[in-house]
Amino acid sequence: MEELVKYIVTSLVSQPDQVDIRRVDNAGGYTVEVRVAPDDMGKIIGRQGRIARAIRTVVKSASAASGDMVTVEII
């Protein structure tokens, strides 16, 4: 899932070299943490959180096939 999130996020930002994706294991699955440059934060979140919601929906759909519980946090 980290590769999928990294592909989506680097496609959206102006500074793809500053994208940092980390996996944090939780009890029921894991969380993918996304860190970007401060100038690119608005591009990842989008108006009223639409892009962030879309990223989470894609990851949730992709992780359903593997049976893992994956969440995405934008930090």
Side-chain angles (χ1 to χ4, degrees):
M1 285 306 132
E2 298 88 18
E3 296 84 21
L4 175 64
V5 174
K6 185 167 187 156
Y7 176 76
I8 294 170
V9 171
T10 55
S11 299
L12 295 172
V13 297
S14 300
Q15 300 172 8
D17 57 330
Q18 292 190 7
V19 173
D20 183 29
I21 307 291
R22 294 185 185 170
R23 176 181 171 153
V24 178
D25 293 322
N26 296 333
Y30 60 92
T31 301
V32 178
E33 292 182 350
V34 179
R35 297 175 197 262
V36 296
D39 296 338
D40 290 329
M41 188 64 76
K43 294 178 184 177
I44 296 299
I45 295 173
R47 288 190 175 158
Q48 297 179 355
R50 288 185 182 136
I51 295 175
R53 196 173 325 122
I55 292 170
R56 289 182 178 118
T57 301
V58 169
V59 170
K60 186 175 181 180
S61 298
S63 67
S66 65
D68 291 334
M69 179 68 171
V70 181
T71 57
V72 177
E73 284 189 22
I74 300 170
I75 301 173

